[in-house]
């Protein structure tokens, strides 16, 4: 199992990024797909028409999101922690994901860089 950690700089406040990551309507706008999301710990979520599914574990408003992402047939939970830090250019989004299956790692990193953080960056640049 592998681990991924990276910082993404976004031209928005931590509050704006938090809303973009937790509000299903805003999620649908920047992902281009229907999204199921709630800030209720223990609730299930679904992004990109089920490409990413899991359970919401913890929320600290405007600062932190912790989720469990499901990988079929894997014995260990993959935990995603997103921390939002104020930055002079907007927001530094720290992403850490643990217990990534070896065979899924390259695709997952590409997904973070282009589909997730890349789409989020494009969304805020268009504002």
């Amino acid at each position: 199992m592998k681990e991924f950690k990276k910082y993404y700089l976004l031209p928005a406040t931590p509050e704006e990024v938090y809303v973009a990551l937790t509000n299903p309507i805003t999620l649908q706008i920047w992902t281009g797909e229907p999204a199921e999301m709630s800030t209720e710990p223990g609730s299930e979520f679904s992004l990109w028409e089920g490409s990413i599914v899991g359970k919401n574990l913890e929320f600290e408003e405007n600062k932190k999101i912790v989720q469990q992402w499901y990988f079929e047939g894997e014995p260990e939970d993959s935990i995603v922690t997103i921390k939002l830090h104020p930055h002079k250019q907007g927001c530094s989004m720290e992403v850490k994901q643990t217990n990534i299956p070896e065979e899924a790692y390259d695709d997952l990193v590409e997904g973070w860089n282009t589909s997730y953080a890349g789409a989020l960056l494009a969304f805020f640049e268009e504002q």
Side-chain angles (χ1 to χ4, degrees):
M1 301 293 255
K2 296 183 97 173
E3 186 174 293
F4 171 75
K5 185 173 182 180
K6 186 168 181 178
Y7 290 84
Y8 298 95
L9 191 57
L10 301 168
T13 66
E15 293 79 11
E16 291 169 325
V17 175
Y18 184 83
V19 167
L21 296 174
T22 59
N23 181 302
I25 295 165
T26 311
L27 272 162
Q28 184 167 334
I29 291 168
W30 69 263
T31 64
E33 304 284 350
E36 293 175 32
M37 179 61 72
S38 164
T39 53
E40 186 69 36
S43 62
E44 303 263 322
F45 70 91
S46 174
L47 306 173
W48 284 280
E49 295 192 301
S51 294
I52 299 174
V53 292
K55 183 188 291 185
N56 290 308
L57 303 178
E58 180 186 338
F59 294 94
E60 191 175 337
E61 192 171 1
N62 304 325
K63 293 183 179 176
K64 184 167 84 168
I65 300 165
V66 182
Q67 299 174 319
Q68 173 187 340
W69 286 18
Y70 301 148
F71 286 99
E72 203 165 312
E74 291 300 325
E76 295 183 63
D77 296 340
S78 181
I79 304 298
V80 172
T81 303
I82 299 173
K83 293 181 181 177
L84 306 175
H85 308 283
H87 188 279
K88 63 183 179 225
Q89 296 173 356
C91 177
S92 172
M93 182 174 77
E94 174 188 345
V95 174
K96 180 179 179 186
Q97 184 165 3
T98 62
N99 296 329
I100 303 165
E102 193 86 31
E103 65 279 0
Y105 185 80
D106 290 341
D107 286 343
L108 191 127
V109 170
E110 176 70 18
W112 275 113
N113 290 334
T114 57
S115 299
Y116 206 105
L120 199 52
L121 178 63
F123 170 71
F124 284 118
E125 286 178 337
E126 291 170 6
Q127 299 296 308

